[in-house]
Amino acid sequence: MVAELGHVTVVFAGQSESWAKWIDHQIKAAGRATTLVRWNPLRRLPTDQALTDLLRAPGRVLLVIDDWYERLGHGRFEAWADVLRQVLPEHHERIAAVSITARPMPDAVIALAPVELRGLRPEVARSRVLECAGIPAPGTLVDLRRGPRFPDDPPEVWQAPRRNHRFVGRTELLEKVYGAFSAAGHDGAAVALLGPGGLGKTQLALEYVHRFAGEYDVVWWISAAQRVTARQQFAELAPHLDVRDAGDLAGTIKAVRRELDRTVRPWLLVLDGAGDPARLRDLLPEGRGHVLVTTHRSEWGAHAQTLAVPVFERRESVAFVARRTDRLSDDQAGRLAQAVEDMPLLLDQTAAWLDQNPAALVEDYIRDIRDGRPDRFGVVASGEYPESFEVAWAKLVNTLRDGSESAWHLLNLLVCFSPDVVPVRLLQTARHGDLPPGLADLIAEPSSWNTALRRLSEITSMRIEYEQGPRLDTQTVGTLRMHRLFHRFVRSIQSPEDAGRYSAAARKVLVSADPRDSSSPGNWARYATLIPHLAPSGALESADDDVRELVLNCVEYLRMRGEYDDGWSLSRRAVEHWRRTSGDTDRSVLVVVHQLANMLRRLGRYTEAEKVGRETLGRLTGAEGVRPIELIRAKDGLGGTLMALGRYTEARTLFEEAAASAAAELGDEHVPRTLTIRSNLAVALGLQGHYAESLALHRRVFEARVELLGGKNALTLNSALHSAWMLRLLGNYREALAIQGHNSRVHSQILDRSHSQTLLAEHNLALCSRRVGDLQFAHALMRGVRDKLLRRRGAAHPETLMVSCDYAMLLRDLDRTEEARELAENTAAQYAAQLGDGHPYAIGARDNVATVMRDMGEIRGALELSRRTTRQMARAVGPDHPWAIGCAKNDVAALASAGESEAAAELGREAADRSARVLGEAHILTISLRAGLALDLAGLGRTEEADALHREAVTRLTALLGADHPHTRYILERRRPYWDFEPQPI
């Protein structure tokens, strides 16, 4: 090496970007000026002038040698080798090279004496780079953690398929992707690679991932063709970001998004094969990272910068064919490319066919592809693809059928699964008897199995990924991806007999893989793997009991994970198929219909859920031979829907009938289903305003569940939560607070802090705290619950609306009146939009608005709204319901504020008498109504009666709550009592 020459030009081919940037950074850190030059010999003619122009740069030239030379083709490579031999001697003192390829290098490259960098520690690699650049070793240590990450060190979080070493070309597209992301600076950016199937979008995205991996700390690849798979894979990023699984999938996804939105670590998310963006919208973070999408859907233009992916340029086609097989001259490669219209997928498959059939004449093959008709090769032209494509595929499958029978049978089985990720592991663990003859022995022998898969991969361009085998010294195929175009073609040419036989085998494999416990979090990843294969295997049309049980377990998994949209879609398709073949009263049909109604109810589509429930109950009631459990399930399901619709009396009747039947048919206190129905009945009683009866039943269910399931089971905790809820509504605030405080702590220990039931427990704890006067703690807790629900569920979700309704009135207590007014109005509007103006929740939420309006001095408007809600609530739930009495209490306050004292006193006395009859004289609603009546009577000059009522109210409140309770002091100060509506959980 000569003495250092100052400036260093680092020259690299496009695929070595991360290495070039790391090398450039090391030289700059040593105090030298640099120029970074991307130089691609594929895009230049091999002339002395081209290389001489490059060497005009000042100082030393450092070449980064990767395996680009393999992409040149024989003739072009030899031409460049000649150029190197002519130019190198004159400039050898200025040129140095480093190698980052593990492949053997040809003599023309070895002549550069490249220094190997791969496989070294970062500090050793840095020392070699500086030596090659002619820079003396620095006297002080340099912190290598600063600047770009060493390219041989993988990103901290990495999930992506292995690199495709046959990838060629696409330089301009890769630079456009990189440029689009770079232009965003510190802001996030999304790019969508757009085009029909077969153009190599996935391979382009994969090359970007590997080429620019050094730019990111987190790289996560998602197979996005199936929504359920995409969401599960997105959620699997959670533990790598130190995010806890929230139990339901939507919560985990939002937690991961939130972490990506706020992290400073650079990240790259790939959504491969994405369909409708509306179904994947919640997988798009808005942080400072990058999202790369491959898709055929132009709608992604609303969410990302789109880059159209064309077919190969002809020179790229020629280079690709040369890399795939050495049998073709450049001229022949060009004519093959013309025959398949430069389609990358077809080029890959046709070149592979020629490579696998060395006796075939190249010219004859190209002529067949260009001029042949599919029917000459045993395939009826479909009109769906160009005939040249169908000829190429026909010759391919004929080669498999004639020359590799085991691979042909295997292909027939594989196309009965989803093409996106063929379940190789499930096949390996399948029972011998579940597989077609011949394949069972093939799969049982690892070497034969791997050979057959490799054969398929080589001929059909299926991508395979290897993983550690059962023995440490073996590698086995872990995953396999088949292109959708080829998958569809093979399915279309299967005979009906083959399609039936192999689909049946695929279904048996899926059934064997069913863990048969969708409630266990440990099985959730397996169910997410199985669901994409249900449709292509024919599972949804099957009448087999085991297959249907698999489908039902998958539906239940979706319900458990909170994936109600996908659960509705899957259960709806199952209902359509199963009813046609099995009738309305078949067990599996009834179960899946029950789940369909469940999903509709969870989605807030209550009217549709009611229709499904009533139709089912009607069919069962009129049918013969119906099992009692089916009627029980139908009544229980319809009862839940009717509760959500505000039809509490009818819901109670159905629950009572279902509970009685369950006790008679299934057993009484020690049967979980019976207890569940009784718990639902207790909820219905509470919604009817029968708080004492509801509390008694909740407590009996709680005691039975403690004995049957233990004190820390989620169902037991739910019973304790509802018991505390009823105690609070009965006015027993301190007892309710003590129970709910313990209950909330145990929820946090047993379930995730973001689980829906945990949030409900914390919500009730906040309400209990508010009722004992601890407003600041209640505010902090309820605000936290609401924030979590807004992030996880959105503002319009029933759980969020319930908390928002209560939070608005808590803000009122804290004198944040304007905020309370806005939130109360928004909540009332949402309830009306979802449930209708006449639903009790919509009416009660509007009554809260009237209370805040009165605080803000809008006396007449508040009175008009309060009068209206009082009448509406009495019609909706009956005049003796506590909610109707509460609305009347606020109506009294509105009348008094408007100066209508006589009317206020008359309504107040009537409402107090109703409350005493329904809830008792000692209930806080009755007491506060009597206190309000005392104020109105005093205003009318009836001081003796007023004083007596006031003394009685203070005495009762002191006994109930204590002398120091805020509500007791509030009444002692002769202030106007009020009521606020609180929705109950359903």
Side-chain angles (χ1 to χ4, degrees):
M1 294 289 177
V2 299
E4 52 100 354
L5 299 173
H7 187 279
V8 179
T9 300
V10 180
V11 181
F12 68 102
Q15 68 185 47
S16 308
E17 184 104 20
S18 57
W19 274 102
K21 287 186 173 181
W22 184 83
I23 291 168
D24 182 69
H25 178 79
Q26 305 312 316
I27 296 172
K28 284 180 177 175
R32 300 303 158 91
T34 65
T35 301
L36 199 57
V37 176
R38 180 185 282 109
W39 194 82
N40 187 350
L42 280 171
R43 306 186 69 83
R44 291 174 171 81
L45 293 175
T47 65
D48 294 359
Q49 186 64 39
L51 202 54
T52 303
D53 289 344
L54 178 66
L55 295 172
R56 286 202 179 100
R60 186 175 291 272
V61 176
L62 183 59
L63 303 178
V64 181
I65 305 296
D66 55 30
D67 55 2
W68 58 263
Y69 50 83
E70 291 190 352
R71 308 178 185 204
L72 294 175
H74 179 74
R76 198 175 183 86
F77 174 78
E78 288 300 331
W80 274 114
D82 286 341
V83 171
L84 274 176
R85 282 191 286 267
Q86 293 172 30
V87 174
L88 188 60
E90 182 181 348
H91 298 276
H92 74 277
E93 291 187 344
R94 294 182 54 222
I95 299 176
V98 293
S99 168
I100 58 169
T101 178
R103 294 177 178 271
M105 290 181 288
D107 293 342
V109 177
I110 292 174
L112 295 169
V115 174
E116 178 63 53
L117 296 185
R118 280 198 178 276
L120 302 177
R121 297 192 308 275
E123 58 272 18
V124 176
R126 178 176 184 273
S127 176
R128 290 191 177 185
V129 164
L130 296 183
E131 182 181 355
C132 287
I135 301 172
T140 58
L141 292 176
V142 176
D143 187 355
L144 293 178
R145 292 173 298 180
R146 297 180 178 179
R149 186 179 62 253
F150 184 54
D152 254 7
D153 292 341
E156 298 171 22
V157 178
W158 173 266
Q159 175 174 280
R162 63 189 172 89
R163 193 170 196 170
N164 180 5
H165 290 289
R166 289 178 176 145
F167 184 88
V168 298
R170 304 296 202 186
T171 301
E172 290 182 0
L173 268 174
L174 287 165
E175 290 175 359
K176 284 181 180 179
V177 175
Y178 183 75
F181 286 144
S182 299
H186 293 298
D187 297 327
V191 172
L193 300 173
L194 179 64
L199 293 176
K201 299 184 297 295
T202 295
Q203 298 308 312
L204 183 59
L206 187 58
E207 178 63 18
Y208 179 87
V209 164
H210 285 275
R211 186 173 295 191
F212 297 101
E215 308 271 335
Y216 302 99
D217 289 341
V218 177
V219 174
W220 202 254
W221 184 284
I222 292 173
S223 298
Q226 299 274 353
R227 182 175 185 267
V228 71
T229 304
R231 290 171 66 79
Q232 177 66 28
Q233 290 181 359
F234 187 93
E236 287 169 1
L237 179 55
H240 300 280
L241 301 178
D242 296 325
V243 172
R244 287 186 63 183
D245 191 314
D248 67 86
L249 202 55
T252 304
I253 286 170
K254 289 189 178 181
V256 170
R257 277 189 58 182
R258 188 165 63 250
E259 179 61 27
L260 292 176
D261 286 344
R262 69 189 181 194
T263 186
V264 297
R265 293 193 293 174
W267 52 263
L268 172 65
L269 181 71
V270 181
L271 298 177
D272 181 40
D276 184 358
R279 292 177 56 76
L280 297 171
R281 191 165 45 214
D282 54 353
L283 303 187
L284 297 177
E286 297 177 353
R288 298 167 60 187
H290 299 156
V291 179
L292 183 58
V293 181
T294 70
T295 182
H296 67 282
R297 300 286 292 263
S298 60
E299 299 96 316
W300 277 97
H303 306 275
Q305 177 181 340
T306 57
L307 295 176
V309 179
V311 296
F312 273 153
E313 296 178 15
R314 183 57 50 82
R315 58 180 178 74
E316 291 177 320
S317 296
V318 172
F320 179 77
V321 170
R323 195 156 199 192
R324 194 67 171 85
T325 179
D326 58 5
R327 290 194 60 201
L328 280 73
S329 67
D330 286 355
D331 178 66
Q332 289 173 323
R335 284 188 284 115
L336 177 63
Q338 182 179 16
V340 298
E341 302 177 14
D342 292 292
M343 174 72 78
L345 173 65
L346 269 294
L347 280 168
D348 194 17
Q349 292 175 326
T350 52
W353 189 92
L354 286 166
D355 200 47
Q356 294 293 314
N357 293 272
L361 297 176
V362 172
E363 296 297 337
D364 290 347
Y365 180 77
I366 294 174
R367 188 183 311 108
D368 284 342
I369 300 297
R370 185 187 63 222
D371 303 328
R373 295 181 57 81
D375 54 13
R376 283 185 53 213
F377 304 96
V379 172
V380 177
S382 67
E384 188 175 354
Y385 318 102
E387 286 193 347
S388 61
F389 291 17
E390 294 192 329
V391 170
W393 286 332
K395 290 178 75 68
L396 186 156
V397 297
N398 288 341
T399 298
L400 277 177
R401 186 188 289 117
D402 298 337
S404 183
E405 187 178 2
S406 60
W408 167 244
H409 290 314
L410 183 56
L411 177 62
N412 273 276
L413 177 60
L414 296 183
V415 295
C416 295
F417 296 98
S418 170
D420 300 300
V421 180
V422 179
V424 174
R425 294 187 192 91
L426 301 188
L427 290 171
Q428 289 176 287
T429 56
R431 295 176 302 187
H432 193 280
D434 291 340
L435 299 168
L439 282 183
D441 293 335
L442 173 74
I443 292 173
E445 172 50 51
S447 60
S448 300
W449 167 246
N450 286 335
T451 298
L453 287 175
R454 278 195 299 271
R455 175 78 170 154
L456 276 179
S457 174
E458 289 163 356
I459 294 180
T460 66
S461 297
M462 285 193 284
R463 292 277 295 164
I464 58 177
E465 302 283 337
Y466 290 93
E467 61 183 25
Q468 187 67 53
R471 298 200 315 267
L472 293 180
D473 60 342
T474 62
Q475 289 279 307
T476 187
V477 175
T479 61
L480 183 149
R481 291 175 173 83
M482 189 184 310
H483 199 283
R484 284 179 164 265
L485 288 179
F486 184 65
H487 179 274
R488 194 158 64 238
F489 172 78
V490 176
R491 284 301 295 259
S492 73
I493 65 170
Q494 277 185 319
S495 67
E497 294 77 14
D498 281 347
R501 180 167 64 255
Y502 288 108
S503 292
R507 292 193 293 272
K508 289 180 180 179
V509 170
L510 296 176
V511 167
S512 295
D514 181 4
R516 292 172 173 77
D517 181 8
S518 51
S519 64
S520 171
N523 294 330
W524 288 347
R526 170 58 63 86
Y527 280 110
T529 299
L530 294 175
I531 288 172
H533 306 296
L534 296 178
S537 68
L540 297 179
E541 295 90 347
S542 175
D544 182 84
D545 288 340
D546 290 336
V547 176
R548 288 188 173 183
E549 195 65 31
L550 163 68
V551 174
L552 291 172
N553 289 338
C554 289
V555 172
E556 176 63 9
Y557 153 77
L558 292 169
R559 189 190 70 80
M560 290 291 298
R561 288 293 259 162
E563 296 296 279
Y564 306 129
D565 275 311
D566 289 321
W568 167 79
S569 177
L570 182 57
S571 56
R572 178 182 57 83
R573 285 184 289 161
V575 168
E576 290 173 356
H577 291 300
W578 297 357
R579 265 185 177 161
R580 282 201 298 266
T581 56
S582 303
D584 294 323
T585 57
D586 177 77
R587 187 199 74 84
S588 57
V589 173
L590 291 169
V591 174
V592 78
V593 168
H594 177 73
Q595 286 285 34
L596 176 62
N598 259 340
M599 301 300 178
L600 288 168
R601 189 164 60 247
R602 299 280 183 172
L603 290 168
R605 296 162 61 176
Y606 301 119
T607 303
E608 294 173 73
E610 180 189 8
K611 181 181 178 183
V612 171
R614 288 198 184 280
E615 287 177 353
T616 302
L617 187 56
R619 291 190 182 104
L620 290 173
T621 303
E624 295 182 1
V626 174
R627 295 190 308 157
I629 184 61
E630 308 300 354
L631 269 171
I632 292 169
R633 184 188 294 115
K635 290 179 178 180
D636 186 45
L638 180 56
T641 299
L642 293 174
M643 278 200 301
L645 287 168
R647 307 226 280 279
Y648 307 132
T649 301
E650 190 178 357
R652 173 183 175 177
T653 300
L654 286 169
F655 286 137
E656 286 175 337
E657 293 174 1
S661 298
E665 299 291 340
L666 308 177
D668 201 4
E669 296 292 332
H670 299 290
V671 178
R673 182 176 289 277
T674 303
L675 293 176
T676 295
I677 297 171
R678 286 181 174 171
S679 179
N680 291 340
L681 173 59
V683 172
L685 287 167
L687 288 165
Q688 283 189 301
H690 304 314
Y691 300 147
E693 292 178 63
S694 176
L695 173 63
L697 185 51
H698 276 308
R699 279 180 160 165
R700 288 202 299 274
V701 173
F702 169 73
E703 291 165 0
R705 281 177 167 169
V706 167
E707 184 177 348
L708 183 65
L709 306 172
K712 293 188 175 182
N713 180 272
L715 292 172
T716 309
L717 293 175
N718 193 48
S719 292
L721 190 164
H722 280 284
S723 297
W725 201 289
M726 288 301 112
L727 280 167
R728 178 174 52 76
L729 293 179
L730 285 166
N732 300 330
Y733 298 149
R734 296 198 181 280
E735 184 182 359
L737 178 65
I739 292 174
Q740 191 54 58
H742 173 73
N743 178 261
S744 186
R745 285 191 297 274
V746 179
H747 265 96
S748 298
Q749 296 165 5
I750 302 303
L751 300 176
D752 187 87
R753 290 296 300 268
S754 296
H755 192 282
S756 293
Q757 191 170 307
T758 305
L759 294 178
L760 183 62
E762 291 184 353
H763 177 211
N764 192 39
L765 179 59
L767 291 171
C768 292
S769 300
R770 178 192 174 197
R771 294 307 178 194
V772 300
D774 192 350
L775 298 185
Q776 295 303 323
F777 176 76
H779 175 257
L781 189 57
M782 198 179 299
R783 181 182 60 191
V785 170
R786 182 170 180 269
D787 287 346
K788 288 180 181 178
L789 287 171
L790 284 170
R791 289 193 298 266
R792 290 179 53 201
R793 301 292 196 191
H797 192 274
E799 293 173 12
T800 312
L801 286 175
M802 179 178 65
V803 177
S804 295
C805 191
D806 293 333
Y807 187 60
M809 302 312 284
L810 178 55
L811 291 174
R812 174 184 178 270
D813 285 349
L814 295 168
D815 296 323
R816 293 164 60 174
T817 312
E818 290 186 1
E819 292 177 71
R821 169 77 174 270
E822 181 180 4
L823 184 55
E825 288 180 335
N826 288 340
T827 304
Q830 287 277 11
Y831 269 136
Q834 285 188 18
L835 304 172
D837 280 330
H839 192 283
Y841 284 14
I843 298 167
R846 286 197 297 273
D847 197 69
N848 287 349
V849 174
T851 300
V852 183
M853 288 173 65
R854 192 170 66 249
D855 293 341
M856 300 179 77
E858 299 177 30
I859 303 303
R860 186 52 55 183
L863 176 59
E864 291 175 359
L865 182 55
S866 186
R867 303 247 74 184
R868 188 162 64 250
T869 55
T870 300
R871 292 191 300 270
Q872 290 172 331
M873 189 65 87
R875 283 198 301 269
V877 295
D880 289 343
H881 194 291
W883 293 344
I885 298 170
C887 285
K889 178 181 175 180
N890 287 341
D891 197 8
V892 170
L895 286 166
S897 297
E900 301 182 27
S901 300
E902 283 285 358
E906 181 181 353
L907 179 58
R909 190 184 300 278
E910 188 270 336
D913 290 344
R914 266 191 288 155
S915 183
R917 186 174 66 255
V918 173
L919 298 170
E921 288 287 357
H923 192 277
I924 192 165
L925 182 57
T926 308
I927 297 169
S928 58
L929 276 164
R930 301 283 192 212
L933 177 59
L935 294 177
D936 295 324
L937 291 173
L940 292 170
R942 304 177 195 174
T943 55
E944 185 176 347
E945 184 182 4
D947 289 344
L949 283 172
H950 179 72
R951 285 194 300 273
E952 181 183 1
V954 170
T955 300
R956 288 187 182 277
L957 272 179
T958 302
L960 181 64
L961 304 177
D964 294 330
H965 192 279
H967 198 63
T968 307
R969 294 198 302 270
Y970 189 91
I971 297 301
L972 271 171
E973 295 168 3
R974 298 181 184 273
R975 297 168 66 184
R976 172 67 61 180
Y978 66 91
W979 173 84
D980 54 61
F981 171 74
E982 295 178 0
Q984 293 185 37
I986 296 174

